[in-house]
Amino acid sequence: MLLAIDCGNTNTVFSIWDGERFLATWRTSTEHQRTADQYYVWLSTLMEFQGIEADITDMIISSTVPRVVFNLRVLADRYFNTRPYVVGKPDCRLPVDVRVDAGTAVGPDRLVNTVAGYDLYGGDLIVVDFGTATTFDVVAGDGAYVGGVIAPGVNLSLEALHQAAAALPHVDITKPQRVVGTNTVACMQSGVFWGYVGLVREICDRIKAERDRPMRVISTGGLAPLFQQSEDLFDEWVDELTMHGLTVIHSYNKRQETA
């Protein structure tokens, strides 16, 4: 079975894939100090608790935090006797092209989302991922990654507002009942929610105009369901888009090895 790991700046997601479906998915905070032994104790405990008996034979990793990759490699070698694919490394091939400026390093999560989006919906896509950063990835008609946009994440913006302005509290993001707030919390929530609705709509409209063709907009990430409430912002919402992309990349590499 495949253990797929998506390591982001805030959270790391572990999923077990049996070739047809995900048996389980777990999240933990991303900490580069966490050792391979700690990962294994945490993971094996959760598997035992949920009654999952999985023989892990393969691993694939996407990580935007390079320092955690070493311990995840040790986890693969020490406890599962396998060598993981790491997205972005030369020995991990992609089923799509990457067409950006020479020398540009594209985040592994963005490449995985491109692969997943193309596999599920075909080309001419804009993939909006609400993570620590809010990213927009543009997928060409043939599935190639051709660039994108990076904006501050929603929670990052709220935290910056709270830290920079002493009188403003920390608030949770939610869809406000009204645009005009009548208290500080409501004002902040309205500014962030409707501000990001405007940001997403404007950037997507400009990408479509620049590409001069119809494009489907796909959303994913932790806050995507919240913004899905806004009418006509997205065509599709995919909960585990990145994990799906990891299974596609793993399958592609396995086929390349046997070709």
Side-chain angles (χ1 to χ4, degrees), residues 131-136 149-154 156-157 196 199 203:
T132 304
T134 300
T135 59
F136 301 74
V149 177
I150 302 175
V154 178
L156 191 63
S157 296
Y196 270 85
L199 179 146
I203 288 178

Side-chain angles (χ1 to χ4, degrees), residues 15 17 36-37 53 137 151 157 163 219 224 237 243-244 254:
S15 290
W17 173 256
D37 302 326
E53 296 182 5
D137 299 316
S157 296
Q163 291 183 358
S219 70
W237 166 62
M243 304 313 292
H244 176 74
K254 282 296 186 181

